[in-house]
Amino acid sequence: MAKKQFKAESKRLLGLMINSIYTNKEIFLRELISNASDALDKRHYLSLTDPSKKIDQSDLKITLTIDKENRQLIIEDTGIGMTAEEMEKNLGTIAKSGSAEFRAQLEKAENNIDIIGQFGVGFYSAFMVADKITVESLSVNGGPAHTWVSSGEDGYTINESERDAVGTKITLSLKEDTDDEKYSEYLEEYKIKDLVRKYSDYVRYPIQMEVTKSIPDPTDEKKTIDTKEMETLNSMIPLWKKPKSEIKPEEYNEFYKAKYMDWEDPARVMHYSVEGNLSYTALMFIPGRTPYDFYYQTYESGLQLYSKGVFILDKAKDLLPDHFRFVTGLIDSDDLNLNISREILQQDRQVKMLARSIEKKIQSSLEDMLKDERENYEKFFDNFGLNLKYGIYKDYGINKNKLQDLILFHSSKEGKYVTLKEYVERMPADQKEIYYACGSSAEEIEKLPVMSRIRDKGYEVLYFLDERDEFCTQIMRDYDGKPFKSVTAGDLDLDSAEEKKEKEEKAEANKDMLSAMKDALDGKVKDVRISSRLKDDPVCIVADEGLSLEMERYMANDPMAKGQGMKAVKILEINPDHPVFAKLQAMNTENPDRLKDYTDVLYNQALLIAGLPIEDPAAYARKITELMIRSN
Ligand code: ADP
Ligand code: MG
């Protein structure tokens, strides 16, 4: 076959590998072994489900061979193999699975070689150590066998070849040593043993290599002779089958990173076994960071499913509730049928039970984390809190009770995260409601006119910095019997009985003026009233019960909702203790026309403070200018 070219982005990745000065090149072996192990998984599964493809368990293995003379390292497996088309498809382009993010990062960080080791970059990583790679393979689905050869960026060839064993043999012709890089190390037994133990110990198939052993010379006791002996280098016990007490944290971390394509340690490891009606072992992880596409359609969540140690399904979605879809990992159950498919998975009663049990475990694990590792939890919340909030308001709040204690808010106290439980526990005795304010930043909220009075009363205000916060509380309605209350909406009951009485009298005395102002605003507000929430500022806009100002603002900025004209019902409140109030009173009797102008200006000011657009900025500016001229 004539030489074929790699796809453009594969070529870039390849170039990056070939010229890599990345120091951790040794990960190439982990990648090739992991591919071999995947191929063996597939063959094993086939053998159990298709009688015509039966194979002895003992024949499933990986063999490593060192050929010092030819500077070659050979990795051979008895896995599922590849046809010519599969070679073309799988080795000619970057594989989809782990490399999508790598690709995205590659676009961003051109020569950042550090990203290499951070990803499971798969097959191509072998080009970090080899200047020529040969892949011979025979598919379990029939021959002929084919050989794929590439020396890097100038392309590859695929030709028919002789091979009678199903499986794949990868031969790496190692690069020449340089001053900085000793590729011949990978021809040393001890090095290969080390690498297998370090990265691939848990692989469930034997990784074998012929090793040199010194044994006593039968003819001369004082001497030893070297013999060759096949040795299994890995312990083969899947990590999740080992007792927890025997597993070091680094082992979990390495396992997670190698298997789930991440470069950061997980934020939390959940490893447990359940015995009973449905027995299973789970090894699950919460990633230490948000996957770049977590909130996009392309993100695939789910757990791997094993039955009696046999891999059955990748990304089994039905095992995880949506609100915990950030969890990755695997479930191994002895009680599940091997022939279970994605379709069956959806309806299976056992699977539903399994999913419920998993959900409970994740939930209590998160609760423990919140209790015992606050800092770690807050970081987790920064990464995935959005998803928990989404879980609260999704499906009309069906899961709200499970999730409400897992969400965090910033607040006016201490500038730290607070849970609803903590908030309620430290509420002053006279406080009946849970106060919140919406805004795009803490600073913005702190500047709200209403905040100074609330501060004086010693009340804490939750900062809703994310639109979803208010969606959540609308679904929740209350927490622990305490309703949520926006400090900028409806009646805010901050006054003592005495103050209330005083205000009522004031409202009565100024009835004329208030209704003149309301008329002046000509339907823009539902009411003009004396405020009990203001201290330093003259006016503010509040929303009546119903759609809040924040929602209105959110809708105004949201391209999807724009133009639908959803508006909060507004009320203009004036501060009776502000000097402007006396001025208005005077105008009401002496100069009703001017009262109209002032009302209009104050109304627009209140809108601006609330972060809402004013209807006619030009007219507003004109009026301000007139007032400036007049006052001189
Ligand atoms: P990934 O493992 O993330 O899919 P890789 O670059 O490691 O990406 O491998 C690309 C693809 O090549 C694999 O998905 C698989 O289909 C195929 N492949 C690689 N090595 C083998 C192997 N030893 N046996 C069978 N197929 C293989
Ligand atoms: Mg791979």
Side-chain angles (χ1 to χ4, degrees), residues 30-32 34-35 38 95 97 120-123 261:
R30 168 190 88 190
E31 295 297 325
L32 296 185
S34 130
N35 285 348
D38 289 348
S97 56
V121 285
F123 176 75
M261 316 284 186

Side-chain angles (χ1 to χ4, degrees), residues 114-334:
D114 221 39
I115 55 179
I116 289 177
Q118 300 171 341
F119 289 87
V121 285
F123 176 75
Y124 287 172
S125 63
F127 279 106
M128 290 196 291
V129 300
D131 46 24
K132 181 179 158 199
I133 301 179
T134 308
V135 182
E136 295 172 66
S137 196
L138 175 63
S139 165
V140 73
N141 295 314
H146 281 86
T147 299
W148 178 100
V149 184
S150 172
S151 301
E153 280 164 301
D154 63 336
Y156 59 90
T157 56
I158 297 175
N159 288 302
E160 221 177 286
S161 66
E162 303 284 315
R163 180 182 168 85
D164 42 26
V166 169
T168 304
K169 177 178 174 185
I170 298 180
T171 304
L172 306 179
S173 301
L174 295 177
K175 293 181 181 176
E176 290 302 326
D177 288 359
T178 65
D179 289 343
D180 305 323
E181 209 61 66
K182 302 281 173 263
Y183 299 102
S184 353
E185 257 202 311
Y186 303 122
L187 297 169
E188 299 298 338
E189 282 177 11
Y190 78 90
K191 182 69 182 177
I192 299 298
K193 279 183 173 176
D194 271 1
L195 291 181
V196 169
R197 236 170 274 137
K198 182 165 167 195
Y199 293 114
S200 311
D201 193 57
Y202 54 81
V203 168
R204 292 176 304 113
Y205 306 96
I207 303 170
Q208 300 187 325
M209 185 168 75
E210 197 166 69
V211 296
T212 316
K213 288 231 162 111
S214 298
I215 55 165
D217 187 340
T219 57
D220 182 351
E221 267 182 34
K222 288 187 207 91
K223 283 194 195 148
T224 60
I225 48 169
D226 282 353
T227 63
K228 294 272 185 186
E229 204 176 281
M230 218 34 155
E231 190 181 298
T232 298
L233 308 182
N234 55 330
S235 71
M236 288 199 321
I237 303 171
L239 189 65
W240 63 94
K241 293 269 185 186
K242 284 193 197 170
K244 259 174 102 158
S245 56
E246 282 173 25
I247 306 176
K248 294 194 219 76
E250 305 88 80
E251 283 181 89
Y252 281 127
N253 293 348
E254 279 307 325
F255 179 87
Y256 166 76
K257 287 190 279 194
K259 212 164 146 76
Y260 300 107
M261 316 284 186
D262 199 354
W263 67 87
E264 255 176 51
D265 289 343
R268 191 165 184 84
V269 179
M270 295 170 270
H271 183 196
Y272 64 88
S273 292
V274 170
E275 304 289 334
N277 271 349
L278 188 76
S279 306
Y280 72 96
T281 300
L283 178 53
M284 301 185 287
F285 304 90
I286 297 176
R289 62 189 186 96
T290 328
Y292 82 106
D293 60 347
F294 186 68
Y295 292 105
Y296 294 92
Q297 291 270 312
T298 53
Y299 182 80
E300 253 193 290
S301 63
L303 299 173
Q304 292 186 307
L305 188 60
Y306 287 76
S307 170
K308 301 186 189 70
V310 180
F311 172 79
I312 309 182
L313 271 182
D314 215 11
K315 309 267 180 199
K317 255 186 79 167
D318 303 288
L319 296 178
L320 273 183
D322 263 358
H323 46 267
F324 294 148
R325 69 191 183 97
F326 44 79
V327 173
T328 58
L330 60 90
I331 300 295
D332 190 349
S333 169
D334 286 354

Side-chain angles (χ1 to χ4, degrees), residues 367-383:
E367 283 162 5
D368 290 348
M369 188 176 173
L370 175 61
K371 198 158 44 106
D372 307 330
E373 300 172 35
R374 181 66 172 227
E375 207 178 312
N376 202 13
Y377 188 86
E378 291 185 359
K379 197 173 158 235
F380 151 76
F381 191 80
D382 284 336
N383 285 329

